[in-house]
Amino acid sequence: MVFFSGSKGGTGKSTLAANLAILLSQSLKTNTLLIDLGVDSSQTASRILGVVPDKQGALDYLVGSVGEVNRLVDKSSYLSSVFVVPPGMTRSYQLNIGVKDAYSRWLGMLGSLVMATGASVILIDMPANAPMPITVPPLLTAQIINIVLDHAAYSEYVLREIDNAYIQPMLTQLGYKQVINVILNKSLPNMDVDNRIRGYARNGEVFVLPTSPIVQYLTATLKPVVLYEPRGTLAEFRKAFDNMTNTLTRQVKAMLTGHVD
């Protein structure tokens, strides 16, 4: 399950990915693994799950500077069934690998990580404006792609760009059958956006999550939102977030059991 926003940063996908790693592990009663690809960034997803990301990680494996995946994995300090792989010490300007080689090493890393963690679900937090060797492998291997955008008028144009550049080629030229969900985050009242973008959700759903100062505060202090009692604006957010989690859980169960249209 990939969380992707194309070239648009600051949409909240790292916060959503980290919190969903906890809830999906609980709802599915299984180990989950979050791969944080936030190269050149604050590695928010890793930090929210209680993992200090200043160590070797996914990008180091892709460029070949580390060969054992066990050295990449940490457990979340909040839930022992949630595992985390941080981005690593390699920066995007240090990438010396093409898309084809990156894809091959990515597949090898995923297989080894599943064996090492026993995870049934892998969540991948993708950075904005990432180089193609980072962007392409996760998108091609994901069975569920969550496109996370701000609830804003311009999001329709960003979504169209993502759809033209990534989604349509995968679905038409490559024949892939991923579930494509659209998540409009930080919703504001009286803004008619979601009805116009429903056609971009392929085999999936459109989710709208409300703005919450409490969520913003907890995220700023790097705490998992789902571990706090839902009061005030957090209660409104959790209602929408839990509904989304339930749908994503059903999608994952369909993938795991093979009952996919």
Side-chain angles (χ1 to χ4, degrees), residues 15-248:
T15 300
L16 299 181
N19 282 278
L20 277 165
I22 293 174
L23 284 191
L24 287 175
S25 178
Q26 293 174 331
S27 64
L28 292 165
K29 295 180 174 57
T30 186
N31 291 349
T32 61
L33 167 67
L34 184 138
I35 301 178
D36 184 352
L37 293 182
V39 59
D40 304 336
S41 73
S42 57
Q43 300 93 34
T44 302
S46 296
R47 297 182 191 278
I48 288 177
L49 290 172
V51 171
V52 177
D54 300 331
K55 54 168 290 184
Q56 291 178 314
L59 271 294
D60 302 314
Y61 186 91
L62 289 186
V63 300
S65 60
V66 59
E68 296 181 14
V69 296
N70 289 333
R71 297 169 60 182
L72 313 179
V73 183
D74 272 319
K75 282 187 178 182
S76 168
S77 60
Y78 296 103
L79 191 65
S80 61
S81 58
V82 175
F83 296 83
V84 179
V85 173
M89 311 304 290
T90 300
R91 298 293 173 254
S92 60
Y93 63 84
Q94 297 173 313
L95 286 177
N96 56 356
I97 188 172
V99 173
K100 183 177 180 180
D101 289 339
Y103 182 74
S104 177
R105 290 191 62 81
W106 174 260
L107 288 177
M109 182 176 71
L110 288 184
S112 298
L113 285 171
V114 168
M115 294 293 292
T117 63
S120 299
V121 183
I122 300 177
L123 301 94
I124 303 162
D125 179 29
M126 297 181 61
N129 287 314
M132 295 305 282
I134 298 177
T135 300
V136 171
L139 288 177
L140 290 182
T141 52
Q143 293 174 291
I144 299 173
I145 297 176
N146 297 317
I147 302 175
V148 185
L149 298 173
D150 298 318
H151 190 263
Y154 58 75
S155 294
E156 181 180 359
Y157 305 101
V158 178
L159 185 56
R160 184 181 305 151
E161 177 183 314
I162 292 172
D163 192 69
N164 289 335
Y166 298 101
I167 305 304
Q168 287 193 43
M170 287 194 298
L171 298 180
T172 58
Q173 299 174 23
L174 299 177
Y176 281 55
K177 296 182 180 180
Q178 290 106 323
V179 171
I180 313 296
N181 298 308
V182 178
I183 303 173
L184 297 176
N185 199 19
K186 297 174 283 188
S187 171
L188 297 171
N190 303 319
M191 185 175 294
D192 182 23
V193 177
D194 44 307
N195 286 330
R196 298 201 302 272
I197 55 87
R198 292 194 178 276
Y200 293 100
R202 315 294 181 87
N203 304 315
E205 303 290 339
V206 174
F207 305 103
V208 179
L209 302 178
T211 297
S212 167
I214 300 176
V215 171
Q216 293 174 335
Y217 171 78
L218 291 173
T219 300
T221 55
L222 298 172
K223 295 181 174 62
V225 171
V226 297
L227 298 184
Y228 287 81
E229 184 178 350
R231 294 182 177 179
T233 60
L234 181 56
E236 182 183 1
F237 174 85
R238 277 299 304 270
K239 181 178 180 180
F241 190 80
D242 289 347
N243 287 336
M244 180 181 74
T245 301
N246 291 336
T247 299
L248 294 177

